[in-house]
Amino acid sequence: MSTITPTPTESPSPGTGLRPTLEELRENTRLLITLRWVAGLSILLGTLAARLFLDIGLQTLPLLIIGLSVLGYNTLLWSFIRAGETSHLQRVQQIAWGQIILDWLAMIVLVHFTGGITSPALIYFVIHAALSGTILLPWQTRSLVGLAVVIVGGLAWFERNGGLPHVRIAELGLDNDLYQNTTYIAAIVFFFGTTILTLSDLVTRNAQRLRQREKHIRELYDARATFVRVATHELRAPLGASLSLMRNIEQGYAGELSPQQRTILTRVTSRLEGLRTLIDDLLTLATSREASTAHAPLEPDSVRAVLERIIEREKPHADHKAIRLDCDLSREPGIVMAGDVGLGIIFGNLLNNAIKYTPEGGHVAVQYRIAPAAHAAEITVQDSGMGIPADDLPHIFNEFFRAKNAKNSQVMGTGIGLSTVRTLVERYQGQITLESDEGQGTTVRVSLPLAPDQTPPKDRDGDI
Amino acid sequence: MAKKILIIDDDPDVVLAIRMPLESAGYEVRDAHSQESGLVAVEDFRPDLIILDVMMDTHTAGFQLAQKLHGPAAKADHRRIPILMVTAIHQTTPLRFGPDEDYLPVQGFIDKPINPKGLLDEIAKLLSK
């Protein structure tokens, strides 16, 4: 007997992260370029203003060189972007890396020439770390931030120990009580203000973009759901009419048939039935996708009530194949947080599969229990059917997958059912396991957590 | 005298598929293709049973017609005629609805695609009541 529990649906791990798209990279690179124009010009004009009007003892030449360098490489980057060098993702990623390294070099030199560890410009690293986060992967940003700490710490260390000359800006009066120094206050307020302004703008911009994207995805999603619903309804009508007519011929209401005509008719009917199964499954898939999306609200629902309804619906199919259908249902309502449609799809699919893949005269058993320890409703559907080959078991929850023996059999199927069941069970925070032995039968166990306000019964787990 | 059955369905192929077994079983059959022509036919033809499709010109035309024929405001001789409703809903959704005095005043359901033998059994059952 082999058992399979589906692995949870993958979500990107926060460690590796998702790469930015080309469009996003381009847009953020453009933003960086714009900010860099402002930064380069501010360095130039600020230095000149400090020198000419405020008479602050800055080292003018190095600062002007930094400002001009920033404007210089920004011009290069700008021309790259303009020249359409950005159609290739790898190229844009290189540009992204390159510009950030250049910026950090420029900033560390700027910090050095504006007072080292006492420089009011130090806070600009915050802006830049945030900007890097928008175009680099999480680990890259973290590495760069680590590097910044090492560089700034190293710079301060070298200046302290005389490895590098410390640039003292006497006008800042860093030896005095800083809170009384107007120039220092103005400088801090300026750098602090521009930092938080830029940061908040950046975060808002990204939040807006995410919201916009989510809205767009939801619209696409709704459009698709509507399309599938309409399409399947429109497809089903002519198919229903055709099959109705075919059954008239089969049952002799349109005169006698030759054996050859009967064979052809049986084949055509069988193909049409296959098409009908496909359309019905697609419709179920579309409905379950709606039921399993995060924005579909979860409501308390009784496992027992839905199971009874589904058993009533499926029983005629079991009777038709002389399959013994044993139901052992706890009297407890078993309130779980799910959706009526979703629960119906889960139980309907499991029971329908069990009956479909069990030969005539076989046996299907449905059991429903409350597991007080796990605070869960447990539903087991067991059949004496064809089972699933061990090789196929790992794929059985995949969309559109059908086991070899199922494909070779006469049973109509699309491989949508179990993947739908799995999606819904996961959405309801439940678990599903499947045990199977080829030729012996299959047992599917679904466990759904009871709604929080449900007190699990201790002794009342009676049978009917 | 042969029992009279009125088929109200806008799909001529479905009408044909229903008509064939009914005629071979000896019923007198007439068909109508909309709510309005259905109501006229009920008056003219005075059927013993009505086979009614749900979706016609609107998605709920069948429900509306059932209300007109069997609802609280309906004529007594209309209410006596049993309605067998044709639907494709039962097989494809877990939604379950049954005949209901107030909301869905019909006497039985039959699923599409139509199984002629099952249809004849259902009709015989309703007519014998």
Side-chain angles (χ1 to χ4, degrees), chain A residues 19-339:
Chain A
R19 285 184 183 282
T21 59
L22 183 63
E23 187 199 353
E24 201 183 340
L25 265 179
R26 254 192 233 156
E27 196 180 318
N28 284 324
T29 303
R30 274 195 211 103
L31 173 69
L32 268 173
I33 290 176
T34 310
L35 287 172
R36 208 175 284 114
W37 291 128
V38 178
L41 285 171
S42 299
I43 296 173
L44 287 181
L45 297 174
T47 307
L48 291 174
R51 188 79 201 169
L52 299 176
F53 305 116
L54 301 173
D55 201 25
I56 296 172
L58 287 174
Q59 297 205 5
T60 316
L61 189 63
L63 288 176
L64 289 180
I65 292 173
I66 296 170
L68 286 172
S69 314
V70 168
L71 293 177
Y73 69 74
N74 206 35
T75 313
L76 275 177
L77 285 166
W78 178 72
S79 59
F80 268 135
I81 298 279
R82 291 259 307 185
E85 284 280 346
T86 54
S87 53
H88 198 255
L89 184 63
Q90 213 179 349
R91 186 90 184 128
V92 181
Q93 273 167 346
Q94 283 168 356
I95 293 176
W97 263 105
Q99 61 179 327
I100 283 167
I101 301 281
L102 286 170
D103 285 342
W104 285 41
L105 279 174
M107 283 205 319
I108 201 70
V109 179
L110 179 72
V111 165
H112 172 65
F113 283 104
T114 50
I117 196 70
T118 63
S119 165
L122 206 51
I123 201 169
Y124 272 3
F125 273 98
V126 176
I127 298 179
H128 213 272
L131 283 171
S132 324
T134 64
I135 56 176
L136 299 177
L137 291 175
W139 71 266
Q140 295 169 331
T141 313
R142 274 196 293 273
S143 315
L144 274 176
V145 167
L147 192 65
V149 174
V150 170
I151 293 174
V152 171
L155 177 73
W157 184 255
F158 276 118
E159 288 187 11
R160 185 182 181 282
N161 294 320
L164 268 175
H166 175 62
V167 179
R168 175 181 294 267
I169 305 170
E171 285 72 13
L172 288 182
L174 291 175
D175 304 327
N176 304 323
D177 286 340
L178 293 176
Y179 71 96
Q180 289 185 332
N181 185 310
T182 322
T183 315
Y184 185 77
I185 292 171
I188 287 290
V189 168
F190 173 76
F191 285 108
F192 175 74
T194 47
T195 302
I196 57 169
L197 186 74
T198 317
L199 266 186
S200 62
D201 185 61
L202 187 69
V203 173
T204 318
R205 192 187 286 256
N206 276 318
Q208 283 299 328
R209 193 192 296 156
L210 285 178
R211 255 172 245 150
Q212 193 66 38
R213 201 167 295 178
E214 196 187 334
K215 184 168 159 259
H216 183 59
I217 289 171
R218 193 164 294 183
E219 281 165 2
L220 281 178
Y221 178 83
D222 288 347
R224 194 192 64 168
T226 312
F227 169 76
V228 173
R229 256 201 316 270
V230 172
T232 44
H233 278 127
E234 292 302 313
L235 290 169
R236 197 186 295 119
L239 205 53
S242 309
L243 276 165
S244 302
L245 287 168
M246 292 301 241
R247 283 182 188 168
N248 269 288
I249 308 178
E250 267 182 339
Q251 295 181 13
Y253 292 105
E256 284 306 303
L257 291 177
S258 74
Q260 220 170 0
Q261 286 169 330
R262 183 164 289 281
T263 310
I264 294 172
L265 188 76
T266 310
R267 281 171 180 250
V268 174
T269 312
S270 155
R271 299 304 295 263
L272 289 179
E273 286 285 0
L275 194 55
R276 189 162 71 98
T277 310
L278 176 69
I279 293 169
D280 287 353
D281 280 3
L282 283 175
L283 186 65
T284 309
L285 184 71
T287 326
S288 73
R289 281 276 165 83
E290 271 164 67
S292 65
T293 48
H295 58 91
L298 295 183
E299 286 160 358
D301 232 304
S302 161
V303 168
R304 188 190 156 91
V306 178
L307 256 181
E308 278 178 339
R309 198 179 67 208
I310 296 297
I311 290 169
E312 186 205 324
R313 188 184 79 189
E314 296 296 329
K315 197 170 182 323
H317 300 298
D319 291 346
H320 184 67
K321 288 175 76 179
I323 288 172
R324 199 174 86 232
L325 181 62
D326 287 334
C327 302
D328 175 12
L329 310 183
S330 159
R331 277 185 231 278
E332 295 298 329
I335 306 296
V336 296
M337 293 308 283

Side-chain angles (χ1 to χ4, degrees), chain B residues 2-51:
Chain B
K3 294 272 189 187
K4 295 192 284 186
I5 297 180
L6 172 65
I7 307 168
I8 308 175
D9 193 322
D10 64 345
D11 185 332
D13 293 327
V14 175
V15 170
L16 178 62
I18 297 174
R19 194 180 251 279
M20 286 203 302
L22 295 188
E23 282 178 343
S24 77
Y27 293 109
E28 189 184 338
V29 184
R30 191 181 290 185
D31 52 66
H33 308 106
S34 68
Q35 242 193 105
E36 294 71 30
S37 62
L39 265 179
V40 173
V42 171
E43 285 293 328
D44 286 358
F45 184 53
R46 307 244 148 225
D48 296 296
L49 182 139
I50 298 167
I51 297 176

